[in-house]
Amino acid sequence: MLDSRRLRTFHEVVTTGSFTAAARSLGYTQPAVTQQIRALEREAGVPLFTRKGRRMCVTEAGRTLARHTEEILGKLRDAEQQLQALARLRAGRVRVCAFPSANATLIPETVAGLLADHPAVRVELQEAEPPESLHRVLSGACDIALSFSYPGLRTEVPPELAEIDLLEDRLVVLLPVGHPLARRRAVRLAELARARWVAGCSRCRANLLQICAEEGFEPDVVFTTDDNLALQSLVAAGVGIAVAPSLVLSFLNHRQVTGRLIEPNVFRRVSAYALREHVHLPATELVLEHIRSAAAARNGC
């Protein structure tokens, strides 16, 4: 059995390139580092370093162990953070990570409901686009992630995560109010083939390229931003038009911008994710229940 503390010391020696640098990084004395490496070599049954002149070089066995050490230590860090997350959940503190338009719509309604019905439960909010938000749940950096996916662009959900469907969020095209097609209730993207476009996050941009390709053209993307307010300003200024989710219409601030449905219907699916072993903890259940209620109140659910 390899000792994790010694593995951390070994990893630091390999990363920094010397026992002295590793000792300085870890706050140990050099003899302490040497003792830990010697003990690890006894556990492994093979030498991990060899001296060449004044230099300590990693042996073949050391290189083999080094290839696994980063993953082993990463798994240990994840386990430690998940245990800390479990303790926070049992204390009624839930960390939610969501994408910007969910943070501006579903999350305020969720928190308001919790404060009214369960004031002892506290929500800490983070913001990240998928798939980063899912990675945070896996690593124990947050407890619940709100994420979205597009048809044809779905990524595989890790088996450790439970997926809770929330709503289908229809996509709209954002146009300046004076645009000829702004008088319509709905438009086809092919009618906008000659327009300049403003794209969103990398996942949204990929979806824009796909749905435009299905309509027979490649959009002229002149600007990219994942800031929904900046997106509206760019459309209002005439830089380009944009595709956005219907959730954005809830906080559409520019009077010079209007949203029109896309024909045929295009949508993204919004879901919540949590570790399977945490889903039925009381604090997690309560927050997920209020997120579902907020989503159910939205059109297109």
Side-chain angles (χ1 to χ4, degrees):
M1 182 69 69
L2 299 179
D3 183 276
S4 61
R5 185 169 60 107
R6 293 167 186 158
L7 282 176
R8 288 190 176 96
T9 301
F10 168 76
H11 175 69
E12 201 65 29
V13 172
V14 173
T15 301
T16 61
S18 74
F19 284 33
T20 302
R24 187 164 48 246
S25 174
L26 294 168
Y28 296 162
T29 64
Q30 184 173 332
V33 170
T34 301
Q35 288 175 9
Q36 289 196 35
I37 295 301
R38 295 294 174 260
L40 183 62
E41 289 178 324
R42 288 194 296 272
E43 290 174 346
V46 290
L48 302 174
F49 295 94
T50 185
R51 183 174 292 280
K52 290 184 179 179
R54 293 187 173 183
R55 293 174 54 242
M56 293 296 292
C57 299
V58 184
T59 64
E60 183 179 353
R63 288 192 293 273
T64 298
L65 180 59
R67 286 196 295 270
H68 296 283
T69 301
E70 182 65 39
E71 181 180 355
I72 292 168
L73 294 178
K75 292 291 186 183
L76 283 172
R77 284 192 297 268
D78 290 351
E80 289 166 355
Q81 290 196 16
Q82 287 183 17
L83 288 173
Q84 291 168 4
L86 182 59
R88 276 189 293 266
L89 287 171
R90 293 194 184 281
R93 292 170 54 207
V94 184
R95 297 163 303 166
V96 178
C97 183
F99 51 94
S101 55
N103 273 345
T105 52
L106 300 179
I107 295 303
E109 296 162 19
T110 297
V111 174
L114 284 166
L115 287 173
D117 300 337
H118 305 280
V121 175
R122 296 293 175 173
V123 173
E124 298 173 8
L125 185 59
Q126 303 174 18
E127 183 168 292
E129 299 280 2
E132 168 61 25
S133 52
L134 272 63
H135 294 159
R136 292 191 187 186
V137 178
L138 288 170
S139 70
C142 76
D143 307 304
I144 296 172
L146 267 61
S147 181
F148 61 86
S149 60
Y150 292 105
L153 294 175
R154 282 184 61 86
T155 55
E156 186 175 348
V157 178
E160 302 96 319
L161 296 183
E163 181 177 16
I164 300 97
D165 286 340
L166 296 176
L167 59 87
E168 286 187 355
D169 191 14
R170 282 193 69 176
L171 300 187
V172 298
V173 60
L174 299 183
L175 302 167
V177 292
H179 194 283
L181 296 181
R183 294 189 294 271
R184 304 256 201 96
R185 178 182 176 276
V187 300
R188 294 191 68 94
L189 292 180
E191 298 177 278
L192 298 163
R194 295 178 178 271
R196 295 190 303 265
W197 293 82
V198 179
C201 69
S202 59
R203 186 172 287 199
C204 297
R205 181 188 177 106
N207 180 67
L208 172 65
L209 295 177
Q210 177 174 297
I211 61 178
C212 288
E214 291 171 356
E215 289 293 305
F217 73 98
E218 181 179 351
D220 177 18
V221 178
V222 297
F223 201 87
T224 300
T225 177
D226 58 2
D227 185 322
N228 287 308
L229 294 178
L231 192 75
Q232 297 174 37
S233 297
L234 290 161
V235 173
V239 172
I241 60 176
V243 166
S246 292
L247 284 178
V248 171
L249 298 182
S250 301
F251 53 94
L252 191 62
N253 291 334
H254 278 283
R255 296 178 181 178
Q256 298 304 312
V257 176
T258 186
R260 291 294 178 264
L261 294 174
I262 297 171
E263 289 183 341
N265 290 345
V266 185
F267 63 90
R268 66 178 182 176
R269 175 158 291 282
V270 178
S271 303
Y273 299 86
L275 289 170
R276 292 187 181 279
E277 60 262 38
H278 291 179
V279 166
H280 298 298
L281 293 174
T284 312
E285 278 192 325
L286 284 172
V287 174
L288 286 172
E289 177 187 334
H290 280 78
I291 290 174
R292 281 193 293 263
S293 295
R298 294 276 161 182
N299 292 329
C301 178

